[in-house]
Amino acid sequence: MKTPLSTGLITDGSSDQALIPLLSTLLEALLPETGFVPPQWVPPAGRKTLAHKIAYALDIENFQFDILFVHRDAENEAADKRVEEIQKALPTGRHPVICVVPVKMTEAWLLTSESAIKQAVGNPRSTAKLELPALSKIASCDAKLVLDEALTLATERNARRRGQFKPSAYRRLVAECTTDLTALRKISSFQQLETDLIHLLKQKNIPHAEL
């Protein structure tokens, strides 16, 4: 019996654990036979610098990850700069680290499916028009604001009840409901993540699905 791959995740903040379902869906698509353990979130626990967080996660006395995902939101910087920051924070030697850099933020990857948003708020048959941005515009929008507005619209609540709705509580559910990667794979930042992950799997001679 094959041992499933052990995976970990370092994030900018605790709310970015919403990436775990998306990463799990990607791993499931690429590793139909090998198997994997869903990414384990590595809490900062007082480690303030990215270098300290990565060193802690790579210490075999703490974890033994076959793959370590390291997330940084691009925010107002170029994705390449965030990748460079992660690479500079790595200790010397080769490591199974994959950069996860949504442009501009994690929520950008949650704007690709109206049905996932409607499912997340428990209203899958909603006929509300969520007015999500085109895939080509997702990288430049205020994704968190757009997602929260879409979640609120998807509930089809009246004005009074909308005031009681807390969209931030549903963001991870959107990720869990995003099971079709077709649209995500058209976003350059997600394409880069998948390309880097496949490259690492090849380096480690891990059998994986071909795109």
Side-chain angles (χ1 to χ4, degrees):
M1 182 177 179
K2 295 180 180 179
T3 302
L5 296 182
S6 174
T7 64
L9 172 65
I10 292 172
T11 62
D12 271 351
S14 58
S15 65
D16 294 304
Q17 291 178 75
L19 287 165
I20 291 175
L22 292 181
L23 293 173
S24 295
T25 299
L26 177 58
L27 288 165
E28 186 174 7
L30 294 178
L31 301 169
E33 297 181 5
T34 305
F36 65 95
V37 177
Q40 176 183 348
W41 184 60
V42 181
R47 285 170 284 276
K48 295 183 178 180
T49 70
L50 184 59
H52 287 154
K53 294 174 185 177
I54 292 174
Y56 174 74
L58 291 174
D59 188 334
I60 60 173
E61 293 187 3
N62 301 319
F63 306 98
Q64 294 189 19
F65 295 132
D66 295 300
I67 300 172
L68 175 63
F69 295 101
V70 180
H71 159 259
R72 292 294 312 277
D73 280 335
E75 296 177 341
N76 294 319
E77 298 288 350
D80 288 349
K81 183 172 181 179
R82 293 303 190 206
V83 170
E84 183 180 353
E85 290 174 0
I86 293 171
Q87 292 174 339
K88 285 183 176 180
L90 294 175
T92 56
R94 295 180 62 181
H95 305 290
V97 170
I98 297 294
C99 300
V100 183
V101 186
V103 180
K104 301 179 179 179
M105 59 189 74
T106 294
E107 287 77 12
W109 287 357
L110 304 180
L111 293 175
T112 60
S113 171
E114 279 203 6
S115 62
I117 292 172
K118 292 174 179 179
Q119 289 176 49
V121 298
N123 195 17
R125 296 184 179 180
S126 169
T127 58
K129 301 297 183 182
L130 305 189
E131 300 180 357
L132 298 181
L135 295 178
S136 60
K137 302 293 184 182
I138 284 178
S140 59
C141 76
D142 185 337
K144 188 174 295 184
L145 177 62
V146 172
L147 178 61
D148 286 355
E149 290 178 348
L151 285 163
T152 303
L153 285 172
T155 66
E156 295 186 294
R157 296 185 178 194
N158 59 34
R160 180 180 62 81
R161 294 186 63 215
R162 283 183 183 181
Q164 302 169 345
F165 179 68
K166 305 297 183 185
S168 60
Y170 294 83
R171 292 171 189 158
R172 177 161 177 155
L173 289 176
V174 177
E176 292 175 359
C177 294
T178 304
T179 56
D180 185 346
L181 300 178
T182 303
L184 262 174
R185 282 171 163 154
K186 295 178 181 179
I187 298 176
S188 59
S189 57
F190 193 85
Q191 290 172 359
Q192 188 63 57
L193 164 65
E194 186 165 24
T195 297
D196 292 346
L197 179 54
I198 290 173
H199 182 66
L200 177 62
L201 294 173
K202 288 180 177 178
Q203 280 186 333
K204 296 171 73 68
N205 293 316
I206 297 171
H208 60 278
E210 296 291 342
L211 297 182

